[in-house]
Amino acid sequence: MALFDDDRSPLPESSGLDEPSHRRGPRPVRERIGWWAAIVATVIGIVFALFPTPYVIERPGPVYDTLGTAEHGDEEIPLIEIPDERTYPTEGELNLLTVSVVGRPGSTPTWFEVLGAWLDRQQSVVPVEAIFPPGLSNEDRDAQNSAAMVDSQQDAIAAALVELGYDFPREVTVSGVVEDGPADGVLQDDDVVLAVNGTEVFSIDELRSAVQDNGTDAPAELTVLRDGEEVSVEVTPTDNGGTAVLGIGVRMVYEFPIDVELQLDDVGGPSAGMMFALGIVDKLTPGAMTGGEIIAGTGTIDSSGIVGPIGGIRQKLWGAKDAGATVFLAPESNCDEVTGHVPDGLDVFAVTDLDQAREIVEAVGEDADTDAFATCPTS
């Protein structure tokens, strides 16, 4: 008598075949459930991956040479024009960097895109609210960034002209007083702050520093220009998250001695200030400051030339590398973000002010020794 496995059937004697058939019967219930579970999990994974995320992606954006031109409508125009002054030929490039953001509230990247960005050194994944604060519309944010760019361009012009020895009014002007704040009833809109405790201030950063030095335990003596007359007032700063503040808004008002025109469309924020200032200095001084080298950098700047921190510096490093730069000027206060993220072949110098940045560019242009200048650690 022949024996057969459970899932086999005996061959009819008349079949003429020597071997049994291998027709399979129904799979066990447990195996079928496992297959269905795998299929459902795959479908759920694909659907989930295509869903929006609470993140946006930062990646390197366009690079602009402040010594060159950019598209403006249907024509190419210089980023820096100084129509009524003698300017000098330049060489090389002084590149400002930008960051492109992928996604907006209501239209964020998918999980597939986020995973790809996590695995890419040139990109960063950040919470959407870090770029788009809640309660602020996209239009308001874009308007703020545009205003910040305009203000930074004015600061860049001022910093460059101060660096070159021009003398002109730089007024730290009150643009608002916080109700029930320490300066309420003491300072007024359009007051020009001339000095704090006898020390003159010519920039917003200098005002902030002087108020911080005063502290919150004693009143600060402010000399202000009001309706054409100097007035002395006292304001006791209050603490705001560890910072001494007067409870006022301020803006800079300049009266430039020469006409400097900066053109850059569709770019927001204040981070182009230092590179614009360097470009202005290069155009107004004999000799090519870069020596033909491609130099990139980023940083805010105030009228006294102080260079401040910016966002997205890791993406800007890669943007500089892709544009052919070998030297990168970074705000010293951003060095902690730079360490461990420097592309090969790029030297990153830490700068604190315009004068130092200019010295580095000139040293690179002259192929001089740059060992005396501070660098951001690569690792």
Side-chain angles (χ1 to χ4, degrees), residues 177-187 211 216 234-239 244-248:
V177 180
V178 176
E179 187 176 357
D180 297 326
D184 191 14
V186 181
L187 293 177
V211 172
T216 59
E234 289 189 347
V235 181
T236 302
T238 58
D239 181 81
V245 298
L246 299 175
I248 59 174

Side-chain angles (χ1 to χ4, degrees), residues 254-304:
Y254 303 114
E255 293 182 26
F256 295 129
I258 64 174
D259 183 23
V260 180
E261 300 173 2
L262 305 183
Q263 300 282 350
L264 187 59
D265 292 339
D266 301 325
V267 175
S271 64
M274 178 180 68
M275 298 310 292
F276 265 129
L278 285 170
I280 296 167
V281 170
D282 196 2
K283 283 179 172 285
L284 286 172
T285 52
M289 192 161 64
T290 69
E293 298 292 329
I294 299 176
I295 298 173
T298 186
T300 65
I301 202 163
D302 68 12
S303 64
S304 60

Side-chain angles (χ1 to χ4, degrees), residues 7 21 44 68 72 91 128 136 141 143 156 160 195 200 203 207 257 267 274 279 282 292 295 313 328 332 338 346 348:
D7 57 352
S21 81
I44 291 174
H72 187 78
E91 298 176 8
V128 64
L136 189 67
R141 176 183 175 276
E200 289 184 299
S203 71
L207 172 61
V267 175
M274 178 180 68
D282 196 2
I295 298 173
I313 193 165
F328 189 98
E332 184 182 53
V338 168
L346 192 64
V348 181

Side-chain angles (χ1 to χ4, degrees), residues 73-109:
D74 297 329
E75 59 180 339
E76 293 276 335
I77 63 172
L79 266 68
I80 300 173
E81 286 190 285
I82 310 172
D84 300 324
E85 294 293 310
R86 181 181 180 184
T87 58
Y88 299 88
T90 62
E91 298 176 8
E93 298 177 14
L94 286 172
N95 288 333
L96 65 86
L97 296 312
T98 67
V99 175
S100 294
V101 177
V102 179
R104 281 177 174 262
S107 180
T108 55

